[in-house]
């Protein structure tokens, strides 16, 4: 009933649509682990290339954390989840009840934390 009330207002519907688009845009940590790892790698490589190009051209480096020689991908993912994802998806989950998404988020956060606790900077642990 409360959802129907929220959806009766055109302003609320627009806000919900905007939130859906934003959540879809940054939802990588809410995907199944293998997809999350794959896309974290692709996104990191894009940022590494940007940083490389900024350095090559003598431009100010926009994202110094994405220096491929010093970056910890697990730390970057943990920060991204802490800063952008958790509160937004907690709110979305309260509105729409998304247990699978939230479970993936929790699993992925624990995965990145585990790598970081081992002082690893890569997408995956080394083969054993």
């Amino acid at each position: 009933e409360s959802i129907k009330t929220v959806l009766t207002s055109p302003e609320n519907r627009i806000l919900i649509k905007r939130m859906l688009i934003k959540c879809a845009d940054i939802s990588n940590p809410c995907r199944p682990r293998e997809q999350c790892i794959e896309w974290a790698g692709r996104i990191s490589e894009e940022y590494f290339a940007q940083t490389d190009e900024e350095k090559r051209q003598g431009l100010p480096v926009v994202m110094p954390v994405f220096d491929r020689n010093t970056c910890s991908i697990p730390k970057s993912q943990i920060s991204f989840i802490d800063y952008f994802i958790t509160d937004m998806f907690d709110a979305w989950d309260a509105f729409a009840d998304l247990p699978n998404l939230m479970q993936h988020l929790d699993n992925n956060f624990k995965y990145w934390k585990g790598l970081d606790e081992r002082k690893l900077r890569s997408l995956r642990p080394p083969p054993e």
Side-chain angles (χ1 to χ4, degrees):
E1 188 61 37
S2 64
I3 291 176
K4 285 182 183 178
T5 303
V6 169
L7 294 175
T8 58
S9 159
E11 295 83 16
N12 287 347
R13 285 197 306 273
I14 289 169
L15 177 64
I16 289 167
K17 289 174 186 178
R18 287 182 177 161
M19 187 174 175
L20 268 171
I21 291 167
K22 186 61 174 173
C23 285
D25 182 42
I26 64 171
S27 67
N28 188 55
C30 299
R31 294 178 185 198
R33 178 170 300 145
E34 285 305 310
Q35 290 175 349
C36 176
I37 293 168
E38 174 68 26
W39 281 99
R42 290 177 185 210
I43 292 164
S44 296
E45 184 54 41
E46 179 181 331
Y47 292 159
F48 293 153
Q50 177 180 331
T51 300
D52 292 345
E53 185 64 15
E54 290 165 346
K55 287 179 176 183
R56 189 184 70 70
Q57 292 188 22
L59 298 170
V61 175
V62 175
M63 295 182 292
V65 72
F66 281 98
D67 181 318
R68 71 175 70 246
N69 299 311
T70 59
C71 182
S72 165
I73 294 174
K75 279 188 190 312
S76 72
Q77 292 301 302
I78 292 165
S79 296
F80 181 68
I81 291 168
D82 282 341
Y83 190 75
F84 292 105
I85 301 298
T86 301
D87 289 343
M88 184 181 294
F89 278 89
D90 281 345
W92 194 239
D93 181 49
F95 178 74
D97 189 29
L98 305 164
N100 292 343
L101 244 135
M102 299 308 288
Q103 187 62 59
H104 290 312
L105 177 57
D106 185 55
N107 292 345
N108 290 327
F109 184 79
K110 288 175 181 172
Y111 174 79
W112 297 121
K113 274 298 238 194
L115 292 179
D116 185 50
E117 288 167 359
R118 293 173 61 187
K119 308 289 188 229
L120 299 172
R121 298 183 320 147
S122 59
L123 290 167
R124 299 180 188 279
E128 297 188 18

